[in-house]
Amino acid sequence: MGMRSYMTWNEVPAAPLDPILGVNQKFQADTSAEKVNVSIGAYRTDEGKPMVLSCVKKAEALLLEQSDLNKEYLPQRGDATYVQLCQKMLFGEKSKLLASGVVATAQTLSGTGALRLGAEFMKKFAKGKTVYISNPTWGTHNSIMTQAGVPFSHYRYWNAAGRDLDLAGMLEDIEAAPEGSVIMLHAAAHNPTGVDPTAEQWGEIMTVCKAKKHVCWFDSAYQGFATGDLDIDATAMRAFADEGLPLFVSQSFAKNFGLYGERVGTFSITCDTPEAVKAVMSQLDIIIRNLYSNPPKHGANIVKTVLSDPALYQEWRDELKAMSLRIQDMRTALYDELTSLGTPGSWTHITSQIGMFSFTGLSPEQCTQMVEKHHVYMLNNGRVSMAGVTSKNVKYIAKAIDDVVRNF
Ligand SMILES: Cc1ncc(COP(=O)(O)O)c(C=O)c1O
């Protein structure tokens, strides 16, 4: 018998912690009684607990009673009724595109799965095109493109001095991108900055994208979370759609339905003709077949049940509004605490920013001290999840910010 050499994987280096999930792991390991977790973009009640929406529990109860519900596979592209309801939620009841049947939509593994599916589609059918992503952004936007092998670059977005949008820089970079590039835009509640373009600014962005024949990729992970209203939060995307710009849309129900772990989402591509939709869908089917074959059913069944039942739909909209209001209340509370402490600097951005996050403007060193000295787990780029702030911990968080601003 000759020598056999076994693969032992001893050479495999340990991967660095994920920048967001890694902070969560460190939080779990911290034994301090005062520790606070504001690193993850997940809603918490004012008691700091995860929440299952009441409309979701009711939908699950209804599903259990359905005798014809089975565990058969879904098609690769997912549940047709669910997909139609999602399209309406994104594009609106009166959408011209939907009326003409020119939107191709597949059910996906939440927003991340939608982004990856879009990247895989680009690799096959938009070879060599670059995706332009805001700087800063949700970090996974960049790493998905890296992992999928899709070229990407950035456009300016954040004006650190004014803690607002660098519109001129953004327009200049989108204008300079080669014609027909793909521009990733946060549909509402920009992560991490909490700063969205105004209606007028969206108009300017649309004009440049149209002139350059860019594909606009709306990443919609927070519909309803920015203002508490599903339609208002879709205004920008619907305006681009009505204007006839080619769109990709990735949609997530993680935040607005609290279905984080159920992995419920969609990916859409607007086409020219219903025939093109058929062809695009057939290609999405092949990509999905070879990634994970078909999507899970339970979460999509919940969303389908709620969106198609008027009473549950209304209850969901009310719950969504209540979640976004609690976050807005916490913004005011944090601002008030910092103001009463006389913390140096201006903190108006905490209340003017929208959505789940506040981009505090703390330096990396100050952020490190928030974690190491005060056990307040936030991201090193200064992002705080306002959904993790409660009436009980807001004073403690403000005192920690006050200390690091004064001393580091
Ligand atoms: C901007 C953005 N896009 C997409 C996602 C996707 O999340 P999920 O895969 O849980 O739907 C997130 C989640 O934090 C996000 O912030």
Side-chain angles (χ1 to χ4, degrees), residues 20 40-42 108-115 137-141 144 184-192 219-222 250-255 259-261 263-265 356-357 383:
I20 299 176
I40 291 265
T108 58
L109 302 178
S110 211
T112 306
L115 288 158
T137 193
W138 178 56
T140 319
H141 278 156
I144 286 174
M184 176 81 71
L185 299 160
H186 297 224
H190 185 272
N191 176 6
D219 187 23
S220 181
Y222 298 93
S250 38
Q251 178 182 33
S252 166
F253 288 104
K255 325 278 168 166
L259 288 173
Y260 308 92
R263 314 310 290 148
V264 203
M356 217 174 222
F357 303 106
R383 189 189 88 168

Side-chain angles (χ1 to χ4, degrees), residues 20 24 49 54 70 87 101 106 126 162 175 204 232 234 239 245 258 276 279 294 304 315 322 351-352 354 383 403 407:
I20 299 176
N24 197 44
K49 296 264 169 20
S54 155
N70 59 45
Q87 286 182 329
E175 169 85 48
E204 291 184 57
I232 296 175
L245 277 83
N294 46 70
K304 188 167 77 169
E315 181 167 0
T351 47
S352 66
I354 54 170
R383 189 189 88 168
D403 174 61
N407 299 312

